[in-house]
Amino acid sequence: MKPTFCTLLLAAVLFACAPLKRTTPSERLTPYLGMIGKLQKSLLDNHFEQIGKPQIEQGIALSVRQIPFDKSKYKAYLAHTTGKGRATSLTYNDSLPVKPKYLCLELADRIALRSQLNSESNIMVRSYLSKEDNFQIVSKIAFVTNAENTDRLLRSQGVFLSESNNGILEITIGENKGGRLYFSELEIFDYQVSGFCWEQDQYGKERIAAISLNGESCPKGTDKNVQKLDQTKSYLKL
């Protein structure tokens, strides 16, 4: 018996929808500070496709800010929680005299980050990053967490991005970096990414010259595309 037209149509619809199931936001890991990957944009969804992380040998200083929610941030928070199938205890209204707040953590020491990315321990990371010019690093996150963690972060004399003995990125708190905070303890609902600007050293080897925040242009003599470095160098000689 030959398949009917309706049967073929149903099979085609099921096949077409299959990839969407694998890319639903609730099934993706939320990006956290220091992760490297690509920002993927589509008509249905935007997401950060993580491909790895750098080796962090020395803690990189982070900035901490507490900010009241506005409509835009609350909408992002609400979309995140509902996408994960969770209820939220936070309520927002323009008429509220005291609005709920969230925290921002940002990579504050871009020079230290650049130095560690150019170290020998990250030679494989640089090799991978140099293949394409659209790799980025998560440089800022917005999140909510419990009162104890909030107090620890805001009162600390220093907050750093570091790496555990197991090779997992984490947050260390305090000047002696004795306290630890894991990204799993934070409800991250928004993030920003930064790109990489490349240059050639005196031996002609590619290295990262700068970390460009979202929308920033690369400094003169550097480029986001490693393949264009030779062209840039020839142009500067003229």
Side-chain angles (χ1 to χ4, degrees), residues 96-114:
L96 288 174
V98 179
K99 295 178 174 56
K101 298 178 180 180
Y102 64 95
L103 294 173
C104 273
L105 274 179
E106 185 172 6
L107 293 168
D109 195 342
R110 285 190 274 175
I111 295 176
L113 175 60
R114 181 194 65 184

Side-chain angles (χ1 to χ4, degrees), residues 62 80 114 178-179 197 209 211 225:
L62 305 176
H80 170 79
R114 181 194 65 184
C197 298
I211 309 296
N225 190 334

